[in-house]
Amino acid sequence: MKLKERVFSGMQPTGSLHLGNYLGAMVQWIEMQKTHECIYCVVDLHAITVWQDPTELRHAIRQVTAAYIASGLDPKKSILFNQSQVAAHAELAWIFNCVARLGWLNRMTQFKEKAGKDREAASVGLYAYPNLMAADILAYRATHVPVGEDQKQHLELARDIAQKFNNDFRESIEAKGYADGLFFPQPEPVITGPATRVMSLRDGTKKMSKSDPSEQSRIALTDDAEAIANKVKRAKTDPDALPSEVKGLAGRPEAENLLGIYAAVTGRTLEAVVAEVGGQQFSAFKKLLSDALVARIVPIGDEIRRLMGDAAEIDRVLADGASRARAIANPIMDEVRDIVGFIRS
Ligand code: AMP
Ligand code: TRP
């Protein structure tokens, strides 16, 4: 166990988790449990940046928690909780709202995508979302953040916020005994899952996403064998046979995506997979892919359904995680209050 290093990551409870979440982030989260102190959050405060029906939100928080556990997160080893139970997130986010600059947030591509054409109608929370994400990480002074490729820009912003806070409050930080003026660490992105960018099954140029209106575009962790087989069968392809070299995937986004998924779920490299299936027609390959996905995903879905049968137990896990999270964040927040110049009793 490497000491002082601490892992933080989170997912939004805005629907069922999918293969992109699993291969892009979760597999790495599970791996890091072996070497690090890990804190994994269900980010419900992030979810409400766009409208969520309260009954569905409650259900989704429990379902994402169940998916974490079913995928292999151990709530005894790691801290597993929902964000709104720990006040430090919202509190530090406010301070960061006053550290981050409008110009920084104006560059965030995810806001532009999510807000769409009618930017005036987006919530203020959606705009300030990356500040809350920085607060999630830094409330624990976490050093490593395993995420998919799409979160890279948000993590760069978190690093800028940590650095500006350290600079702005340098004197105050040094007065507290941090000789080097380093209060917040620069959190490092860990973008090394087996497939850091899984694309939609309907369009190899768009990322697989919970918010895509087409269910056919993604494989949910709760899909049964039949649903998985159907989605793979209908997945978009091109008319050519599969290439026998990786470079033959250039300009063939759907082929690249399906082979990438196959490599990730079977734990092999793209090269190894191309060597196995190169020259095959998509129809033959799709059968292999769907069998591999069924073997990997269906047991997780079964476990999610079993865990969802006992909501009280899930709530107990979240309550226990929240109290362990508060025990780490509260003393850090006391120091933040002193550094900023607030009076506390
Ligand atoms: P979200 O679904 O936006 O809450 O994302 C949760 C985590 O899954 C983040 O680390 C994302 O980067 C990752 N993720 C989401 N969609 C994908 C995808 N299509 N491919 C790879 N990683 C993804
Ligand atoms: N913004 C991330 C996403 O949509 C979720 C998230 C919120 C997160 N807070 C975080 C990820 C802190 C890593 C660390 O995927």
Side-chain angles (χ1 to χ4, degrees):
M1 162 86 86
K2 287 186 215 136
L3 284 176
K4 283 212 234 144
E5 292 196 346
R6 182 177 280 152
V7 170
F8 184 97
S9 198
M11 295 199 191
Q12 299 193 55
T14 49
S16 304
L17 296 190
H18 54 69
L19 191 66
N21 299 128
Y22 180 71
L23 297 176
M26 197 90 83
V27 170
Q28 191 59 38
W29 295 15
I30 294 159
E31 195 56 30
M32 292 187 98
Q33 290 186 122
K34 295 182 191 154
T35 47
H36 288 78
E37 176 188 13
C38 298
I39 306 172
Y40 295 125
C41 188
V42 180
V43 292
D44 48 12
L45 298 175
H46 277 91
I48 63 163
T49 55
V50 296
W51 168 251
Q52 303 297 326
D53 172 82
T55 304
E56 283 171 22
L57 178 61
R58 239 183 318 269
H59 177 80
I61 293 168
R62 294 193 180 111
Q63 207 189 23
V64 170
T65 308
Y68 282 5
I69 301 170
S71 304
L73 296 190
D74 178 352
K76 293 209 175 65
K77 208 183 275 171
S78 301
I79 296 179
L80 219 154
F81 73 108
N82 60 313
Q83 194 181 20
S84 58
Q85 292 209 57
V86 180
H89 295 255
E91 213 176 326
L92 187 58
W94 177 258
I95 294 173
F96 287 170
N97 284 344
C98 304
V99 172
R101 307 287 95 183
L102 282 180
W104 299 2
L105 289 173
N106 284 340
R107 287 196 281 275
M108 295 294 114
T109 53
Q110 188 173 296
F111 174 75
K112 290 177 198 164
E113 277 162 29
K114 284 201 178 175
K117 286 202 181 65
D118 194 5
R119 211 174 283 186
E120 300 276 306
S123 75
V124 175
L126 188 67
Y127 185 72
Y129 172 120
N131 295 345
L132 177 59
M133 179 162 161
D136 297 340
I137 300 162
L138 295 170
Y140 303 92
R141 299 168 82 192
T143 54
H144 290 77
V145 186
V147 284
E149 174 73 34
D150 61 337
Q151 296 303 310
K152 204 171 164 191
Q153 194 184 36
H154 289 157
L155 278 168
E156 278 158 14
L157 187 89
R159 293 166 67 89
D160 290 344
I161 290 176
Q163 191 168 23
K164 185 163 191 297
F165 183 96
N166 289 344
N167 287 341
D168 289 354
F169 295 103
R170 187 172 187 101
E171 256 176 56
S172 192
I173 288 170
E174 287 180 352
K176 283 205 67 83
Y178 294 89
D180 49 6
L182 263 181
F183 181 70
F184 285 125
Q186 291 271 294
E188 266 181 50
V190 180
I191 307 180
T192 53
T196 54
R197 194 166 166 79
V198 177
M199 309 310 278
S200 157
L201 299 180
R202 306 300 302 161
D203 177 351
T205 63
K206 264 176 42 190
K207 99 177 163 164
M208 185 177 285
S209 152
K210 288 180 202 141
S211 55
D212 192 313
S214 165
E215 290 279 339
Q216 296 296 320
S217 71
R218 62 183 164 265
I219 289 176
L221 296 184
T222 46
D223 280 347
D224 61 18
E226 199 188 330
I228 293 174
N230 272 326
K231 287 178 184 179
V232 171
K233 203 176 283 169
R234 289 200 215 150
K236 187 175 171 200
T237 55
D238 58 45
D240 298 333
L242 291 165
S244 39
E245 276 185 288
V246 171
K247 64 176 194 289
L249 290 170
R252 299 182 65 187
E254 283 81 19
E256 185 178 7
N257 187 41
L258 295 181
L259 285 170
I261 293 173
Y262 185 56
V265 291
T266 57
R268 289 178 299 165
T269 62
L270 195 55
E271 286 75 14
V273 157
V274 167
E276 179 199 343
V277 301
Q280 286 191 14
Q281 296 300 321
F282 272 103
S283 52
F285 165 65
K286 278 181 163 183
K287 176 82 178 87
L288 291 176
L289 174 61
S290 104
D291 288 348
L293 279 167
V294 166
R296 185 82 183 256
I297 300 301
V298 170
I300 297 176
D302 288 343
E303 183 62 4
I304 293 175
R305 279 180 285 277
R306 192 189 69 78
L307 292 164
M308 286 298 280
D310 190 353
E313 176 55 22
I314 294 179
D315 294 359
R316 267 194 297 279
V317 166
L318 291 173
D320 173 62
S323 85
R324 287 156 63 205
R326 282 190 291 264
I328 299 174
N330 287 351
I332 295 174
M333 287 308 295
D334 279 345
E335 289 199 278
V336 169
R337 289 184 196 97
D338 293 343
I339 288 167
V340 171
F342 295 154
I343 291 173
R344 64 186 170 97
S345 44

